[in-house]
Amino acid sequence: MTAILELIKDPYERKARVIPGLLVALPLLVPLLCVYGAKHPVLTGVIGLLGGCGAIYALASVARGRGKKLEETLVKEWGGMPTTIALRHRDTFLDSISKQRYHAVIVAKLGIVMPTAQEEMADPAKADDIYIGATRRLRELTRGDKQLLLKENIAYGFHRNMVAMKPVGMLACIFGVVYGLLIAKALQVIPPHFAPVNLADPGLAAGLTLLISLALLVAWAFYFDKEAVRRMGFVYAERLFECLSSLPSAAPRKRTSKPAATS
């Protein structure tokens, strides 16, 4: 119960992890509660008990686990996290003026010496390691006190987990649509028969089931994809770097070695 309460209280956990898990189950929960809930109060009690005993936590954990696994795949496809990519001299997501300003502020505020374009070209892996370290330090300094940054982080996590849950979610929606058609008597199994005329007045349970299932199915099919995750990742990167100006200054670290020579 403590873990569930923490999930509900924490805005990131609730919106980025719990909601994607619940949206997967929604097309199946709606007809169960609408059709059988009033006639069988025990069923409603059992569903509530399952939620209280950890079903919500389990759904959130599955969404998080699948989301992290998807992120690993996406990072390989993208060539790095958006926060790392945006800091590269060779990347064009940020304009050159903003990139130079962010590099300079990282030196002044975080005390981390950023690589030049020549150093990055000579050793991209080392440059990326510096970018990752600077980003990690910036996240530590801005964690919990930047509402706009938190919102963008939640949006990224939500989109990532929704895409990760997409196969399961679409399957649940298809089951929801079929079940909605069955309880609306627009679809009959024995004998096989389809009567679309019954959709004119499907009833509350069938109507809600079909509406929710179709809406989620369309969203998963046409909106939640890898490009949406990438877009949210770069928006978060922009908001993160904008927080640099509000940090106190720090003395820059000295270079421990000479810049690598270019050929």
Side-chain angles (χ1 to χ4, degrees), residues 204-227:
L204 179 61
L208 285 176
T209 301
L210 289 171
L211 179 62
I212 292 172
S213 299
L214 287 172
L216 287 174
L217 185 61
V218 170
W220 258 306
F222 298 103
Y223 176 71
F224 291 107
D225 54 19
K226 294 179 180 180
E227 183 57 33

Side-chain angles (χ1 to χ4, degrees), residues 64-100:
R64 180 184 183 276
R66 291 181 63 90
K68 284 294 185 181
K69 185 176 181 180
L70 173 67
E71 187 175 75
E72 292 176 1
T73 302
L74 293 178
V75 168
K76 291 179 182 179
E77 292 180 5
W78 298 339
M81 289 292 288
T83 47
T84 303
I85 296 172
L87 287 176
R88 291 171 180 163
H89 291 281
R90 61 187 185 275
D91 184 73
T92 59
F93 173 73
L94 291 174
D95 60 274
S96 59
I97 302 300
S98 296
K99 195 188 301 287
Q100 291 173 9

